[in-house]
Amino acid sequence: TQRCVGFIDGPLVEIARPRGMLQRATNSGHKRRTGLKWQVISSPDGMLFHIFGLYEGCNHDMHLYEESGLDDTLRENFLIDGVQHYLFGDSGYALRPYLMTPFEGANLDANELLFNKRMSKSRISVEWAFKDIKKYFARIAFPRKIALSKTPGGALYLASCLLWNFRC
């Protein structure tokens, strides 16, 4: 059997547009915003238990996964009493032994469609956590207030995540 113990995602915390070379590094072509990237793992109840990063916004979710060394950590800790545990990520991640992603393609069978639907409903907890962090810790929600040269944006986000966990 297999058990999903968490959801992984790479949120982009928007920042004020920097000047010069930093603008290119912090620009996320996918979201068309400038920001800083994190890798966050959320439990199904919304608690954030792995926050890795502060990378430039141009980095892909899978790049952060590889940089974090999570494969080794998951390999060592996610086989418990013969039961395989795994994380579930969005389609921005590649399939790994301890990281599942949605089935992709046009010709999915009924079981694959049902799996995608159920996991999508469950995975929304990590998206709600990101939304609520911006809602309850509003400073993070205003990119103009987070300027790289004036504001410690990374520290603000980490503090917001910690306070979110207290709230949970």
Side-chain angles (χ1 to χ4, degrees):
T1 57
Q2 296 181 339
R3 291 198 179 127
C4 179
V5 295
F7 304 97
I8 187 169
D9 204 358
L12 178 78
V13 177
E14 291 182 51
I15 60 170
R17 178 177 281 166
R19 296 176 188 216
M21 295 300 289
L22 286 176
Q23 182 174 351
R24 181 176 215 130
T26 58
N27 186 40
S28 168
H30 174 68
K31 298 206 184 246
R32 291 179 167 65
R33 304 269 189 261
T34 55
L36 303 171
K37 286 283 282 201
W38 296 89
Q39 176 177 273
V40 178
I41 298 175
S42 169
S43 64
D45 63 358
M47 295 278 296
L48 307 177
F49 62 92
H50 168 84
I51 302 168
F52 173 79
L54 194 53
Y55 277 76
E56 297 90 0
C58 63
N59 287 292
H60 191 273
D61 290 350
M62 200 59 202
H63 175 76
L64 270 67
Y65 179 84
E66 290 167 354
E67 287 288 316
S68 70
L70 260 179
D71 264 345
D72 296 331
T73 303
L74 299 178
R75 185 179 306 108
E76 293 170 7
N77 298 301
F78 268 35
L79 185 62
I80 304 167
D81 295 329
V83 177
Q84 173 75 46
H85 292 73
Y86 64 91
L87 297 174
F88 188 82
D90 59 18
S91 57
Y93 290 93
L95 190 62
R96 296 276 209 254
Y98 305 101
L99 176 63
M100 295 186 95
T101 60
F103 290 100
E104 294 180 355
N107 300 322
L108 300 180
D109 65 29
N111 288 334
E112 292 169 340
L113 289 170
L114 182 63
F115 175 82
N116 282 355
K117 185 176 181 179
R118 286 184 177 167
M119 292 310 289
S120 176
K121 284 183 179 181
S122 298
R123 202 188 79 76
I124 199 71
S125 67
V126 72
E127 300 294 344
W128 283 343
F130 300 151
K131 173 192 66 88
D132 284 346
I133 285 172
K134 288 181 179 180
K135 176 181 172 184
Y136 292 110
F137 311 104
R139 177 117 184 180
I140 293 296
F142 294 104
R144 290 188 319 240
K145 297 209 178 243
I146 304 175
L148 287 179
S149 60
K150 300 175 186 174
T151 310
L156 282 173
Y157 191 72
L158 284 175
S160 299
C161 290
L162 177 66
L163 291 172
W164 167 254
N165 279 346
F166 289 147
R167 189 176 186 288
C168 275

